[in-house]
Amino acid sequence: MQKVGKMMKVFVTRRIPPEGMQILSSAGVCEMSVWDSDEPVPKTELLKGVQGAAGILCLLSDKIDAEVLNAAGPNLKVISTLSVGFDHLALDEIKKRGIRVGYTPDVLTDATAELTVALLLATARRLPEGVEEVKNGGWSTWKPLWLCGYGLSGSTVGIIGLGRIGMAIAQRLMPFGVKRLLYTGRTAKPHAAEVNGEFAPIDTLLSESDFIVISCSLTPETQGLCDKAFFSKMKNTAVFVNTSRGAVVNQEDLYEALKNGQIAAAGLDVTTPEPLPTNHPLLTLKNCVVLPHIGSATYSTRGIMSSLAARNLLAGLQGTDMPSELKV
C-alpha cells in the first residue's frame, strides 16, 4: 500500500451524528480536532481550533467570517457546512481566498416539508392550545365553537418560494383538498404545473390565501419581507407559517398583527434570535406556535446530512469532485 502523506488538520465545530465522524475517521487523510459538545463553540475556541486547518466542518450557528479565515491561515482548502443555508458564511471572503464550500441541500427536503405541514396543521387546528386545556382542566362539556380553527379543505394556499422545499410542501398539502395553490418568487416555475400552482404577484397571493407558507431563502430582498405592510394585506382569518429563516420576518410586526387580529395565527420553526428568549412577546400569544428549529430533525435525515458533510469535506481536502459543492 502507498503511504499516505502528512495528515491534514480538520476542525469540526460540534459533535455531529456518528455517520459523518465514521467516514472522516476511516478515510485516513485527516487528523480531526472536535469541539466535543452539543453546544456551539465559543468564538475564542473557534479561532483557536481552526489554526492551521486544511478543512472546517461547521454548523449554521458558526459565523465563518474574515477573522476565522485569517486565524485558519493559508492552508485552508475547504469549508463543509452541515446545513442547506449558508448565510453564516462570508462567501466574498471565502471566494477571494479560493476556498471550496460544501453544503447539504436536497437531503432535508422531505423532513422539512413534513414538519411544515405538521406545524401548519398544529397552528390552524390549535393543537398546542388543546393539549394545554386537557392538562389544565379547561376541557369541560362539548361547546360548538370551542377551540375551532381553520381547515385546508377548499382553501387557497400561498407559498412564497417554490423551490425544492416549497414544492415538497405543496405536494403534501394538495391531498388535503386544497382548492388553489398560489406561489410567488423571482420567476414562474415549470414544475409548478405538477401541483396546479398559479404564479401570482405577491399582493394577490397575500389577499387571496387562507394559508401562507414561507419557504424562500434569506437574501437581501427577502430580509424583513414579512412586515407590517405584508401582514396588513392578509385576510384576518389567514394562518402564517415560516420554516425558512427567522430574519425573513419582522417579529415585532408579526406580534402586532397577531395581537390585533390582523391575521388569525402563526406557526414558526425559525426565529431571530435562536433560541428565542423565553420572555419574548410572541410566546405570550395563544395564536402563535413556536418550535425550536426542528425542520430537519429526523434521525435518518440528520445522519444523511452528517455523512454528506463529511464526504464534501474529504473531497475538498483531496481536490476531487464534491457530492454537493456550493459555487462561490
Side-chain angles (χ1 to χ4, degrees):
M1 255 176 75
Q2 193 183 353
K3 192 172 181 332
V4 177
K6 189 167 176 287
M7 299 276 263
M8 288 177 274
K9 181 182 169 182
V10 163
F11 184 62
V12 182
T13 66
R14 191 92 65 92
R15 273 183 211 140
I16 64 169
E19 292 89 337
M21 294 306 282
Q22 176 61 40
I23 288 169
L24 291 176
S25 53
S26 61
V29 296
C30 54
E31 184 188 317
M32 268 189 297
S33 165
V34 181
W35 176 252
D36 194 17
S37 168
D38 288 329
E39 297 304 318
V41 59
K43 186 75 180 254
T44 50
E45 295 298 328
L46 176 61
L47 292 170
K48 255 190 258 173
V50 299
Q51 280 172 22
I56 300 171
L57 197 157
C58 66
L59 277 69
L60 261 182
S61 49
D62 307 312
K63 281 255 171 285
I64 308 295
D65 53 17
E67 192 184 1
V68 173
L69 298 171
N70 290 337
N75 286 340
L76 188 61
K77 296 174 177 223
V78 58
I79 296 162
S80 176
T81 182
L82 189 89
S83 64
V84 177
F86 42 83
D87 40 276
H88 57 305
L89 307 177
L91 294 179
D92 290 349
E93 290 291 335
I94 289 165
K95 187 177 184 174
K96 254 189 251 172
R97 292 164 165 83
I99 297 162
R100 293 172 71 192
V101 177
Y103 69 137
T104 60
D106 301 332
V107 296
L108 47 67
T109 299
D110 289 339
T112 305
E114 285 172 10
L115 190 277
T116 305
V117 174
L119 177 57
L120 186 150
L121 291 168
T123 305
R125 295 297 304 273
R126 302 169 67 177
L127 301 193
E129 272 184 85
V131 169
E132 197 47 46
E133 292 293 293
V134 172
K135 288 179 177 177
N136 68 22
W139 182 13
S140 58
T141 181
W142 185 85
K143 303 180 190 105
L145 291 176
W146 187 58
L147 283 177
C148 280
Y150 299 92
L152 280 161
S153 184
S155 70
T156 297
V157 171
I159 297 185
I160 295 179
L162 199 71
R164 282 184 298 261
I165 293 174
M167 189 64 186
I169 293 165
Q171 287 165 335
R172 284 160 174 76
L173 287 176
M174 295 315 281
F176 283 90
V178 170
K179 192 172 168 190
R180 287 176 77 206
L181 182 94
L182 307 178
Y183 73 97
T184 192
R186 287 199 197 98
T187 55
K189 307 273 195 211
H191 60 244
E194 293 172 38
V195 287
N196 297 323
E198 303 169 41
F199 189 57
I202 192 159
D203 285 3
T204 306
L205 182 145
L206 294 177
S207 64
E208 296 185 11
S209 296
D210 301 299
F211 298 90
I212 289 175
V213 179
I214 309 296
S215 77
C216 55
S217 49
L218 180 61
T219 64
E221 296 80 51
T222 61
Q223 177 120 16
L225 169 73
C226 308
D227 58 6
K228 186 177 182 176
F230 179 102
F231 296 121
S232 72
K233 291 168 187 159
M234 285 172 60
K235 296 180 179 182
N236 59 12
T237 53
V239 173
F240 173 85
V241 173
N242 182 22
T243 53
S244 63
R245 283 281 171 271
V248 173
V249 177
N250 178 318
Q251 289 175 174
E252 288 68 34
D253 290 355
L254 175 62
Y255 172 76
E256 290 301 327
L258 288 165
K259 187 163 130 301
N260 301 331
Q262 175 67 63
I263 67 172
L268 310 173
D269 184 43
V270 286
T271 58
T272 311
E274 290 182 0
L276 197 63
T278 53
N279 63 352
H280 195 281
L282 282 173
L283 301 179
T284 64
L285 300 171
K286 283 189 171 177
N287 58 344
C288 187
V289 177
V290 182
L291 298 179
H293 201 152
I294 52 172
S296 65
T298 67
Y299 291 110
S300 67
T301 299
R302 293 286 170 83
I304 293 164
M305 282 174 77
S306 177
S307 57
L308 179 54
R311 287 185 290 122
N312 283 338
L313 188 78
L314 288 176
L317 293 175
Q318 296 169 309
T320 56
D321 284 348
M322 273 187 201
S324 274
E325 183 162 9
L326 182 65
K327 296 300 177 191
V328 293

